Amino acid sequence: MSSGQQVRDRQGRRDEQPPRPPRGRARPKRDGSWLTPKRVAAIGLSVAVVAALGVFTVKTMKENEAAPSRPLSLDDLTRMADDPFAPDAEADALKATAAQAARARNLKSAREKDGPDWDSVKIVKEAPGGGGFNPQAFPPGSKPDPGSNKAIGQRMAAARGWAGEWGCLEKLWDKESGWNERAMNRSSGAYGIPQALPGSKMASAGGDWQVNPSTQIAWGLGYIAARYKSPCGAWGHSQSVGWY
C-alpha cells in the first residue's frame, strides 16, 4: 500500500469518530429554578406553624405558672393508686416505731407516779393536708362525737357481716384514736379514726376524708378487710406487735 493510501485511510477513520464538543463553552442552563412557587408556599407555611407552636407553648407555660395550685381530686388519686390498701413498708415501719415509743413513754409514766399521763395521740385543731390536699379548718362550732362515731361504725361493720366482731373493732379503734376523727399520732402522724398513714390515703373513700367520720370509717373497714380479713384479725395483730 502506498503512503498516500495510508494517509487517506487514517483520515477516513478520524472522520468516522463522533465530533467532540467545543472546549471553553458553558453548559446550557436548566429551565426554571428549585425555588418554585409551591416550594415557597410550603416553606412559608412551615415557618408559620413553628412560630404559632412556639407562641402557644410560651403562653401555656406562663398560664400554668400563674394558675393557683389545686388539691388532687378523688378521681386523680384513684388513678394514681390502683390499690389504696396495698402493704406499705415505709408506713408499717413508722407504725412500729410509734408503737415502741408509746411503750417506752408508758413505762416511764408508770415509774414516775407523780408525772403527767402521756397519750400517744393528740386532737388537732386543723385537719392535716397531704396527697395534694391542703390543710383544712373544721366547720365552725363542730366538735368530735366518739359515741356517735361508734354507732356509725357498728352499723357499717354489721353491713359487712362483722356484727359478731364488733367488740374487736371497738377495742381496736378505742386504742388507736378513741374513735375521734381529729386524732393524730404524735410519733407517726397517722390520722383519723382508723389512723391512716398518711391520712390522705383515706381520700380513696371520699374527698371529705379530713373531716367526715363516715368516710374515715369506710376506709378503715376496707383497710382491715384487705390486710387482716376481719376486725378480730386486725385486733390480734395489734395486740401482738402494737400496731395494725
Side-chain angles (χ1 to χ4, degrees), residues 7-51:
V7 171
R8 286 193 296 272
D9 290 343
R10 286 196 295 269
Q11 289 177 346
R13 286 194 295 270
R14 285 199 299 269
D15 293 340
E16 292 174 0
Q17 295 178 356
R20 296 180 180 178
R23 296 181 180 178
R25 183 179 298 178
R27 293 182 179 179
K29 294 183 179 179
R30 296 179 180 177
D31 293 335
S33 171
W34 71 272
L35 201 60
T36 62
K38 289 184 178 179
R39 288 176 177 169
V40 171
I43 292 172
L45 179 61
S46 299
V47 171
V49 170
V50 171

Side-chain angles (χ1 to χ4, degrees), residues 175-238:
K175 172 179 176 289
E176 291 291 323
S177 64
W179 288 83
N180 192 319
E181 71 272 18
R182 303 181 187 182
M184 176 179 285
N185 189 280
R186 296 179 187 273
S187 300
S188 68
Y191 178 69
I193 292 172
Q195 290 290 279
L197 183 63
S200 58
K201 285 184 176 180
M202 293 186 288
S204 61
D208 57 353
W209 62 272
Q210 293 162 299
V211 298
N212 192 332
S214 296
T215 300
Q216 295 182 1
I217 292 170
W219 183 89
L221 295 178
Y223 172 80
I224 288 172
R227 293 287 300 270
Y228 304 103
K229 307 303 182 185
S230 70
C232 287
W235 175 240
H237 187 276
S238 177

Side-chain angles (χ1 to χ4, degrees), residues 10 16-17 51 65 82 116-117 126 163 219 221 239-240:
R10 286 196 295 269
E16 292 174 0
Q17 295 178 356
E65 290 175 357
D82 294 332
D117 292 335
E126 183 181 58
W219 183 89
L221 295 178
Q239 288 293 96
S240 174

Side-chain angles (χ1 to χ4, degrees), residues 51-68:
L53 287 174
V55 171
F56 175 78
T57 302
V58 172
K59 181 174 180 292
T60 303
M61 289 174 63
K62 290 183 178 180
E63 289 177 351
N64 289 339
E65 290 175 357

Side-chain angles (χ1 to χ4, degrees), residues 56-112:
F56 175 78
T57 302
V58 172
K59 181 174 180 292
T60 303
M61 289 174 63
K62 290 183 178 180
E63 289 177 351
N64 289 339
E65 290 175 357
S69 58
R70 67 170 181 83
L72 294 176
S73 68
L74 176 59
D75 290 338
D76 293 334
L77 290 168
T78 302
R79 286 194 297 271
M80 291 170 59
D82 294 332
D83 183 1
F85 309 119
D88 186 335
E90 183 178 357
D92 289 351
L94 286 172
K95 292 175 186 177
T97 301
Q100 186 176 2
R103 285 193 295 267
R105 294 297 296 267
N106 288 335
L107 286 173
K108 184 178 180 181
S109 296
R111 293 192 192 101
E112 300 173 357

